[in-house]
């Protein structure tokens, strides 16, 4: 009988310890949500001498950098500002963007790393 209790205790520990860590991780993640349940991230200030900052394939960027953010209820809100006020944010076919921006200097976002504080953005001129 003592042997059965030891085995049951070990099995409960094997199940309970990972459940404790998973619960702690979920608690830590939910502490970063706003009152509406949404998560937000601020990007570091992006400076470029050009006229535009281009994200070629947002879906690929999210898949590469934050795959957990690609769920059915994910929403993306962009708030772009310049030193003079709000900045224009637009969507266009990649071919048209290349054609419009070819003659002017611009930068492309290659990576957005997950980090504490403002998220680092890596640009390619």
């Amino acid at each position: 009988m003592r042997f059965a209790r030891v085995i049951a205790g070990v099995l409960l520990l094997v199940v309970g310890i990972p459940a404790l860590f998973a619960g702690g991780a979920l608690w830590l993640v939910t502490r970063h949500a706003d009152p509406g349940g949404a998560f937000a991230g601020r990007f570091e200030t992006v400076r470029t001498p050009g006229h535009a900052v281009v994200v070629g394939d947002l879906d690929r960027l999210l898949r590469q950098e934050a795959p957990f953010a690609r769920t059915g209820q994910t929403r993306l809100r962009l708030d772009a500002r310049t030193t003079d006020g709000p900045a224009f944010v637009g969507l266009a076919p990649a071919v048209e963007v290349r054609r419009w921006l070819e003659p002017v200097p611009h930068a492309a976002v290659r990576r957005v790393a997950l980090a504490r504080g403002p998220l680092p953005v890596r640009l390619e001129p």
Side-chain angles (χ1 to χ4, degrees):
M1 190 64 171
R2 179 178 242 172
F3 181 72
R5 282 186 274 177
V6 169
I7 295 296
V10 168
L11 287 175
L12 287 173
L13 280 174
V14 166
V15 172
I17 297 291
L20 177 68
F21 285 131
L26 289 173
W27 173 77
L28 186 64
V29 167
T30 58
R31 284 186 40 216
H32 294 287
D34 68 10
F39 293 90
R42 296 183 61 81
F43 296 102
E44 69 182 7
T45 302
V46 176
R47 288 185 173 84
T48 179
H51 297 287
V53 176
V54 178
V55 178
D57 186 349
L58 183 61
D59 187 51
R60 182 185 56 77
L61 186 68
L62 282 176
R63 207 173 30 245
Q64 177 184 347
E65 302 298 335
F68 56 86
R70 295 182 66 244
T71 64
Q73 296 182 15
T74 299
R75 292 186 185 148
L76 180 66
R77 186 183 79 192
L78 298 173
D79 182 22
R81 298 196 167 280
T82 67
T83 54
D84 300 327
F88 172 74
V89 175
L91 296 172
V95 174
E96 295 296 321
V97 171
R98 269 188 239 109
R99 185 175 61 82
W100 291 330
L101 294 177
E102 194 171 44
V104 297
H106 63 280
V109 174
R110 292 297 170 223
R111 182 154 197 244
V112 176
L114 295 178
R116 290 186 134 181
L119 305 177
V121 177
R122 300 295 169 246
L123 298 177
E124 180 179 289

